[in-house]
Amino acid sequence: MDSLTLICTAALLAAGGLYWFVCFFGSAEVKGKRAVQLTGGSIDKENVQDNYKQYWSFFRSPKEIETAEKVPVFVDTFYNLVTDIYEWGWGQSFHFSPSLPGKSNREATRIHEEMAVDLLGVKPGSRILDAGCGVGGPMRAIAAHSKANVVGITINEYQVKRARMHNKKAGLDSLCEVVCGNFLQMPFADNSFDGVYSIEATCHAPNLEEVYQEIYRVLKPGSLYISYEWVTTELYKAEDPEHVEIIHGIERGDALPGLRTYKDIAQVAKKVGFEVVKEKDLAKPPSHPWWTRLKMGRMAYWRNHILVTILAFLGIAPKGTVDVHEMLFVTADYLAQGGEKGIFSPMHMILCRKPAAE
């Protein structure tokens, strides 16, 4: 075999290996973002790294910023930094769900979303609100399942663009509307929705009472609101340094201005006027562990990190993307630890009703 043949053979093997590495160990959502399309959302490419540094500095001590007015701005920055990576590496639904035997991650996610709207009991043609819709994964699943008209609100303009694109591509733009805004000050009339849901979104609010008050305002009397909340559980011990490190790691890596305890949720709901219909931690047995997907994805995380590093070196991905991806990798470990130890739940469910007569 001559030298030219050897070189060509080696090149073919390398190309085949790269194709297998990228495509067969590909992203969770192959029909969404691809690695070569990673951006900083609405942030200019040359400013991604600086914005990451600003974000990390701001959220270094989450408890100190619980009532800071700048929290929404930095949550917006966070989602500019992570949205493409979430879509590429996780999917279009930015949340967790219990593992279901015999079901894929995508199927388990869809079932978790459909359960939320089923509990609302809305009819086809009803107008419901997705408070904190992201790029609209849950919105599309819920609209397709219930035939309700879903209005989503997100603080991030880049997510609005992504959601509208996905809605149109899925043929659901007639049922799904997306608005850019802050769910602490929503641009909707009083008593204008037949139901409201929020899936792992209100954890970003600096004050839970404020967002629940706003949801209460826009919900029609007699209608229901359901939320999947991020909380610390009864097993969390504030005097345990390991527990504190895990929770702070989750807060820093997910733009949370301080996690609430499970006791806070119903208390706040009642305080703003809701009647609590049902409350349950969906992460508890007999539910199967929600964090197994994080642990099983370690090989994919490392593969993705190598790929992101190469793309950033080549100038295809913005500088700072590697830092953001590493932050999410570390945070995933904290999330898995919190789940395994039972001190953290991302799916503490509360179902509330706005009284029919106020």
PDB file of all heavy atoms in Angstrom, residues 88-107:
ATOM      1  N   TRP A  88     -29.761  22.233  22.003  1.00  0.00           N
ATOM      2  CA  TRP A  88     -28.845  21.296  21.344  1.00  0.00           C
ATOM      3  C   TRP A  88     -28.638  20.041  22.185  1.00  0.00           C
ATOM      4  O   TRP A  88     -28.698  18.918  21.677  1.00  0.00           O
ATOM      5  CB  TRP A  88     -27.505  21.997  21.087  1.00  0.00           C
ATOM      6  CG  TRP A  88     -26.409  21.088  20.624  1.00  0.00           C
ATOM      7  CD1 TRP A  88     -26.446  20.233  19.557  1.00  0.00           C
ATOM      8  CD2 TRP A  88     -25.111  20.953  21.208  1.00  0.00           C
ATOM      9  NE1 TRP A  88     -25.239  19.576  19.448  1.00  0.00           N
ATOM     10  CE2 TRP A  88     -24.405  20.003  20.441  1.00  0.00           C
ATOM     11  CE3 TRP A  88     -24.474  21.556  22.287  1.00  0.00           C
ATOM     12  CZ2 TRP A  88     -23.089  19.637  20.734  1.00  0.00           C
ATOM     13  CZ3 TRP A  88     -23.163  21.197  22.574  1.00  0.00           C
ATOM     14  CH2 TRP A  88     -22.484  20.258  21.812  1.00  0.00           C
ATOM     15  N   GLY A  89     -28.414  20.215  23.467  1.00  0.00           N
ATOM     16  CA  GLY A  89     -28.027  19.091  24.299  1.00  0.00           C
ATOM     17  C   GLY A  89     -29.134  18.449  25.095  1.00  0.00           C
ATOM     18  O   GLY A  89     -28.954  17.357  25.653  1.00  0.00           O
ATOM     19  N   TRP A  90     -30.332  19.087  25.172  1.00  0.00           N
ATOM     20  CA  TRP A  90     -31.406  18.563  26.015  1.00  0.00           C
ATOM     21  C   TRP A  90     -32.704  18.396  25.243  1.00  0.00           C
ATOM     22  O   TRP A  90     -33.348  17.370  25.300  1.00  0.00           O
ATOM     23  CB  TRP A  90     -31.623  19.490  27.215  1.00  0.00           C
ATOM     24  CG  TRP A  90     -32.539  18.954  28.258  1.00  0.00           C
ATOM     25  CD1 TRP A  90     -33.864  19.251  28.428  1.00  0.00           C
ATOM     26  CD2 TRP A  90     -32.215  18.016  29.296  1.00  0.00           C
ATOM     27  NE1 TRP A  90     -34.388  18.563  29.503  1.00  0.00           N
ATOM     28  CE2 TRP A  90     -33.391  17.799  30.057  1.00  0.00           C
ATOM     29  CE3 TRP A  90     -31.047  17.347  29.665  1.00  0.00           C
ATOM     30  CZ2 TRP A  90     -33.435  16.938  31.154  1.00  0.00           C
ATOM     31  CZ3 TRP A  90     -31.088  16.493  30.756  1.00  0.00           C
ATOM     32  CH2 TRP A  90     -32.264  16.295  31.490  1.00  0.00           C
ATOM     33  N   GLY A  91     -33.106  19.438  24.533  1.00  0.00           N
ATOM     34  CA  GLY A  91     -34.363  19.399  23.802  1.00  0.00           C
ATOM     35  C   GLY A  91     -35.073  20.728  23.887  1.00  0.00           C
ATOM     36  O   GLY A  91     -34.526  21.712  24.386  1.00  0.00           O
ATOM     37  N   GLN A  92     -36.294  20.777  23.409  1.00  0.00           N
ATOM     38  CA  GLN A  92     -37.055  22.028  23.378  1.00  0.00           C
ATOM     39  C   GLN A  92     -37.874  22.265  24.642  1.00  0.00           C
ATOM     40  O   GLN A  92     -38.464  23.338  24.795  1.00  0.00           O
ATOM     41  CB  GLN A  92     -37.975  22.038  22.151  1.00  0.00           C
ATOM     42  CG  GLN A  92     -37.211  22.047  20.827  1.00  0.00           C
ATOM     43  CD  GLN A  92     -38.119  21.884  19.627  1.00  0.00           C
ATOM     44  OE1 GLN A  92     -39.322  22.083  19.708  1.00  0.00           O
ATOM     45  NE2 GLN A  92     -37.547  21.514  18.490  1.00  0.00           N
ATOM     46  N   SER A  93     -37.916  21.295  25.530  1.00  0.00           N
ATOM     47  CA  SER A  93     -38.605  21.434  26.821  1.00  0.00           C
ATOM     48  C   SER A  93     -37.555  21.552  27.909  1.00  0.00           C
ATOM     49  O   SER A  93     -36.900  20.565  28.259  1.00  0.00           O
ATOM     50  CB  SER A  93     -39.519  20.233  27.076  1.00  0.00           C
ATOM     51  OG  SER A  93     -40.578  20.193  26.142  1.00  0.00           O
ATOM     52  N   PHE A  94     -37.405  22.744  28.462  1.00  0.00           N
ATOM     53  CA  PHE A  94     -36.330  23.003  29.422  1.00  0.00           C
ATOM     54  C   PHE A  94     -36.765  22.623  30.842  1.00  0.00           C
ATOM     55  O   PHE A  94     -36.865  23.474  31.728  1.00  0.00           O
ATOM     56  CB  PHE A  94     -35.934  24.485  29.385  1.00  0.00           C
ATOM     57  CG  PHE A  94     -35.370  24.949  28.067  1.00  0.00           C
ATOM     58  CD1 PHE A  94     -35.096  26.306  27.868  1.00  0.00           C
ATOM     59  CD2 PHE A  94     -35.116  24.085  27.020  1.00  0.00           C
ATOM     60  CE1 PHE A  94     -34.568  26.765  26.663  1.00  0.00           C
ATOM     61  CE2 PHE A  94     -34.594  24.526  25.811  1.00  0.00           C
ATOM     62  CZ  PHE A  94     -34.326  25.867  25.632  1.00  0.00           C
ATOM     63  N   HIS A  95     -37.062  21.361  31.042  1.00  0.00           N
ATOM     64  CA  HIS A  95     -37.467  20.922  32.381  1.00  0.00           C
ATOM     65  C   HIS A  95     -37.208  19.430  32.531  1.00  0.00           C
ATOM     66  O   HIS A  95     -36.835  18.733  31.585  1.00  0.00           O
ATOM     67  CB  HIS A  95     -38.946  21.243  32.631  1.00  0.00           C
ATOM     68  CG  HIS A  95     -39.898  20.505  31.731  1.00  0.00           C
ATOM     69  ND1 HIS A  95     -40.291  19.201  31.971  1.00  0.00           N
ATOM     70  CD2 HIS A  95     -40.528  20.868  30.594  1.00  0.00           C
ATOM     71  CE1 HIS A  95     -41.117  18.804  31.028  1.00  0.00           C
ATOM     72  NE2 HIS A  95     -41.285  19.802  30.170  1.00  0.00           N
ATOM     73  N   PHE A  96     -37.436  18.917  33.745  1.00  0.00           N
ATOM     74  CA  PHE A  96     -37.248  17.504  34.042  1.00  0.00           C
ATOM     75  C   PHE A  96     -38.606  16.800  34.069  1.00  0.00           C
ATOM     76  O   PHE A  96     -39.666  17.441  34.046  1.00  0.00           O
ATOM     77  CB  PHE A  96     -36.556  17.334  35.399  1.00  0.00           C
ATOM     78  CG  PHE A  96     -35.182  17.929  35.443  1.00  0.00           C
ATOM     79  CD1 PHE A  96     -34.947  19.136  36.103  1.00  0.00           C
ATOM     80  CD2 PHE A  96     -34.110  17.300  34.829  1.00  0.00           C
ATOM     81  CE1 PHE A  96     -33.680  19.696  36.151  1.00  0.00           C
ATOM     82  CE2 PHE A  96     -32.841  17.855  34.870  1.00  0.00           C
ATOM     83  CZ  PHE A  96     -32.623  19.053  35.524  1.00  0.00           C
ATOM     84  N   SER A  97     -38.560  15.475  34.140  1.00  0.00           N
ATOM     85  CA  SER A  97     -39.768  14.669  34.307  1.00  0.00           C
ATOM     86  C   SER A  97     -39.365  13.339  34.915  1.00  0.00           C
ATOM     87  O   SER A  97     -38.214  12.903  34.757  1.00  0.00           O
ATOM     88  CB  SER A  97     -40.466  14.444  32.957  1.00  0.00           C
ATOM     89  OG  SER A  97     -39.602  13.764  32.060  1.00  0.00           O
ATOM     90  N   PRO A  98     -40.275  12.684  35.630  1.00  0.00           N
ATOM     91  CA  PRO A  98     -39.943  11.371  36.174  1.00  0.00           C
ATOM     92  C   PRO A  98     -39.641  10.380  35.050  1.00  0.00           C
ATOM     93  O   PRO A  98     -40.269  10.431  33.989  1.00  0.00           O
ATOM     94  CB  PRO A  98     -41.215  10.964  36.932  1.00  0.00           C
ATOM     95  CG  PRO A  98     -41.960  12.236  37.164  1.00  0.00           C
ATOM     96  CD  PRO A  98     -41.641  13.103  35.995  1.00  0.00           C
ATOM     97  N   SER A  99     -38.687   9.488  35.271  1.00  0.00           N
ATOM     98  CA  SER A  99     -38.418   8.433  34.296  1.00  0.00           C
ATOM     99  C   SER A  99     -39.592   7.465  34.284  1.00  0.00           C
ATOM    100  O   SER A  99     -40.129   7.117  35.340  1.00  0.00           O
ATOM    101  CB  SER A  99     -37.140   7.685  34.662  1.00  0.00           C
ATOM    102  OG  SER A  99     -36.022   8.543  34.630  1.00  0.00           O
ATOM    103  N   LEU A 100     -39.994   7.028  33.098  1.00  0.00           N
ATOM    104  CA  LEU A 100     -41.115   6.094  32.960  1.00  0.00           C
ATOM    105  C   LEU A 100     -40.622   4.823  32.279  1.00  0.00           C
ATOM    106  O   LEU A 100     -40.065   4.894  31.181  1.00  0.00           O
ATOM    107  CB  LEU A 100     -42.236   6.724  32.135  1.00  0.00           C
ATOM    108  CG  LEU A 100     -42.894   7.986  32.715  1.00  0.00           C
ATOM    109  CD1 LEU A 100     -43.929   8.528  31.736  1.00  0.00           C
ATOM    110  CD2 LEU A 100     -43.553   7.670  34.052  1.00  0.00           C
ATOM    111  N   PRO A 101     -40.807   3.664  32.911  1.00  0.00           N
ATOM    112  CA  PRO A 101     -40.369   2.400  32.308  1.00  0.00           C
ATOM    113  C   PRO A 101     -40.965   2.205  30.925  1.00  0.00           C
ATOM    114  O   PRO A 101     -42.167   2.383  30.711  1.00  0.00           O
ATOM    115  CB  PRO A 101     -40.901   1.342  33.287  1.00  0.00           C
ATOM    116  CG  PRO A 101     -41.025   2.067  34.593  1.00  0.00           C
ATOM    117  CD  PRO A 101     -41.425   3.468  34.237  1.00  0.00           C
ATOM    118  N   GLY A 102     -40.113   1.862  29.970  1.00  0.00           N
ATOM    119  CA  GLY A 102     -40.570   1.610  28.612  1.00  0.00           C
ATOM    120  C   GLY A 102     -40.804   2.845  27.782  1.00  0.00           C
ATOM    121  O   GLY A 102     -41.206   2.741  26.616  1.00  0.00           O
ATOM    122  N   LYS A 103     -40.574   4.023  28.373  1.00  0.00           N
ATOM    123  CA  LYS A 103     -40.767   5.278  27.646  1.00  0.00           C
ATOM    124  C   LYS A 103     -39.435   5.989  27.451  1.00  0.00           C
ATOM    125  O   LYS A 103     -38.562   5.961  28.319  1.00  0.00           O
ATOM    126  CB  LYS A 103     -41.717   6.207  28.416  1.00  0.00           C
ATOM    127  CG  LYS A 103     -43.100   5.631  28.675  1.00  0.00           C
ATOM    128  CD  LYS A 103     -43.907   5.478  27.398  1.00  0.00           C
ATOM    129  CE  LYS A 103     -45.319   5.001  27.708  1.00  0.00           C
ATOM    130  NZ  LYS A 103     -46.116   4.815  26.460  1.00  0.00           N
ATOM    131  N   SER A 104     -39.287   6.638  26.304  1.00  0.00           N
ATOM    132  CA  SER A 104     -38.090   7.439  26.050  1.00  0.00           C
ATOM    133  C   SER A 104     -38.160   8.719  26.873  1.00  0.00           C
ATOM    134  O   SER A 104     -39.216   9.067  27.432  1.00  0.00           O
ATOM    135  CB  SER A 104     -37.997   7.789  24.566  1.00  0.00           C
ATOM    136  OG  SER A 104     -39.054   8.678  24.196  1.00  0.00           O
ATOM    137  N   ASN A 105     -37.033   9.426  26.952  1.00  0.00           N
ATOM    138  CA  ASN A 105     -37.025  10.713  27.664  1.00  0.00           C
ATOM    139  C   ASN A 105     -38.028  11.677  27.060  1.00  0.00           C
ATOM    140  O   ASN A 105     -38.728  12.405  27.775  1.00  0.00           O
ATOM    141  CB  ASN A 105     -35.622  11.321  27.618  1.00  0.00           C
ATOM    142  CG  ASN A 105     -34.629  10.553  28.461  1.00  0.00           C
ATOM    143  OD1 ASN A 105     -34.972  10.023  29.517  1.00  0.00           O
ATOM    144  ND2 ASN A 105     -33.387  10.484  28.006  1.00  0.00           N
ATOM    145  N   ARG A 106     -38.113  11.678  25.744  1.00  0.00           N
ATOM    146  CA  ARG A 106     -39.036  12.598  25.075  1.00  0.00           C
ATOM    147  C   ARG A 106     -40.487  12.251  25.391  1.00  0.00           C
ATOM    148  O   ARG A 106     -41.314  13.138  25.634  1.00  0.00           O
ATOM    149  CB  ARG A 106     -38.800  12.575  23.559  1.00  0.00           C
ATOM    150  CG  ARG A 106     -39.626  13.607  22.805  1.00  0.00           C
ATOM    151  CD  ARG A 106     -39.328  13.600  21.324  1.00  0.00           C
ATOM    152  NE  ARG A 106     -37.956  13.990  21.041  1.00  0.00           N
ATOM    153  CZ  ARG A 106     -37.470  14.143  19.806  1.00  0.00           C
ATOM    154  NH1 ARG A 106     -38.252  13.933  18.770  1.00  0.00           N
ATOM    155  NH2 ARG A 106     -36.220  14.500  19.632  1.00  0.00           N
ATOM    156  N   GLU A 107     -40.803  10.951  25.421  1.00  0.00           N
ATOM    157  CA  GLU A 107     -42.168  10.531  25.739  1.00  0.00           C
ATOM    158  C   GLU A 107     -42.524  10.858  27.191  1.00  0.00           C
ATOM    159  O   GLU A 107     -43.637  11.319  27.479  1.00  0.00           O
ATOM    160  CB  GLU A 107     -42.316   9.031  25.494  1.00  0.00           C
ATOM    161  CG  GLU A 107     -42.305   8.642  24.023  1.00  0.00           C
ATOM    162  CD  GLU A 107     -42.280   7.133  23.824  1.00  0.00           C
ATOM    163  OE1 GLU A 107     -41.586   6.433  24.594  1.00  0.00           O
ATOM    164  OE2 GLU A 107     -42.959   6.659  22.898  1.00  0.00           O
TER     165      GLU A 107
END
